[in-house]
Amino acid sequence: MSATEFDPKAFRRALGNFATGVTVITATTPDGQQTGVTANSFNSVSLDPALVLWSIMKTSGSVEIFEKASHFAVNVLAADQINLSNHFARPSDDKFANIDYEKGFGDAPLLPECAARFQCENYQRIDGGDHWILIGKVVAFDDVGRAPLLYHGGAYSAVIPHAGVKPKQSEASESGQQKNEQRLNNNLYYQMIQAVKRYQASYQPLQLATGLRTIEARMILTLNDFGSLGATELEQRIGMADQDLHAALETLQRKQWIAIETTEGASDGEETLSLTDAGKDQAETLWKVANDRQQEVFGQFSEEELATFHKVLNAVK
Ligand SMILES: Cc1cc2nc3c(=O)[nH]c(=O)nc-3n(C[C@H](O)[C@H](O)[C@H](O)COP(=O)(O)O)c2cc1C
């Protein structure tokens, strides 16, 4: 087989356009060793029989546990479970210290407050290059329906419901259409979502035109506000996973926008990150893009109207 010709980092980045949910997949061996791995490779396969799959890196320290266990459990994370996602994305000798869980089939740990959980018995293992593809037969599930945590472009994200496509006039009864629109126009949640979506649709291309992904832009703006931050603190402030933090840092360092120093005397080699002068210029460019867009959208309102808008937003957020 010929070697892959393209840059693996660029490939990974391109794959990041495909938005996914985030799961923690857990298992326990017959002699009681347990693990959990954050995974976004989870997907459904078949309804009859009920099959799901995910893939695990062959080099993962958890491969052996999944091999020996009879079952695995898929915990589909909810939007407020970023800490759990980051926790189970790091290698650790005891991943369940200080973590709440109950035991399911094959003693696979089940996490509370998830959006959904699927308990599976091992069905098939397929060689998938540098990953093993693990297929499970679902033997039980919980469908809680909490808002899910999403993962897109190397960053955590949340769902904004889509309003749907307006039916053609000929397809909708006129009075029904009017009643529907009136009710939606009176619903502030619906109005806020519509406004955010329109703002995002017009703002995002401008931000992407600076050559930065949303996550990289957020990193630059955060460092610009705080002066310098340790890698862990930056990761927590932005709410992103370790592996993506490093990929984004590499990009920004290559562009010479970020300087990384190993903190003096720090035994764990914690790195301190700060913006270079060119990075600070980039932050100003990003703020200019944001402010120009804000002016275009909100410039039509008086100071008094905007003050009321701020007051309402601050009170409800
Ligand atoms: C959002 C996200 C998704 C991930 N998806 C996968 C995945 O599908 N498969 C995988 O093997 N690792 C994935 N990882 C990385 C693993 O979580 C991480 O390497 C692993 O849990 C480290 O622990 P281990 O030493 O037990 O392997 C993902 C990490 C994050 C943050």
Side-chain angles (χ1 to χ4, degrees), residues 199 203 284 286-296:
Y199 200 108
Y203 175 59
E284 289 314 313
L286 287 168
W287 273 121
K288 188 173 175 335
V289 171
N291 291 336
D292 287 353
R293 184 66 195 135
Q294 180 167 311
Q295 183 58 29
E296 263 171 52

Side-chain angles (χ1 to χ4, degrees), residues 12 20-23 25 35-42 54-63 66 85-92 95 131-132 150-151 156 240-244:
R12 195 167 179 274
T20 66
V22 182
T23 66
I25 307 200
T35 192
V37 171
T38 300
N40 69 334
S41 53
F42 171 72
W54 70 291
S55 54
I56 183 166
M57 249 180 312
K58 285 182 178 172
T59 53
S60 159
S62 299
V63 163
F66 284 101
S85 172
N86 286 338
H87 175 81
F88 285 102
R90 288 193 196 102
S92 151
K95 291 201 179 187
H131 280 61
W132 291 111
L150 300 189
Y151 192 66
Y156 294 115
M240 66 192 298
D242 209 30
Q243 55 184 32
D244 301 300

Side-chain angles (χ1 to χ4, degrees), residues 75-78 81 84 110-117 144-146:
N75 298 274
V76 179
L77 296 187
Q81 293 181 310
L84 274 182
L110 297 171
L111 302 172
E113 312 279 316
C114 289
R117 303 188 298 203
V144 182
R146 297 189 69 212

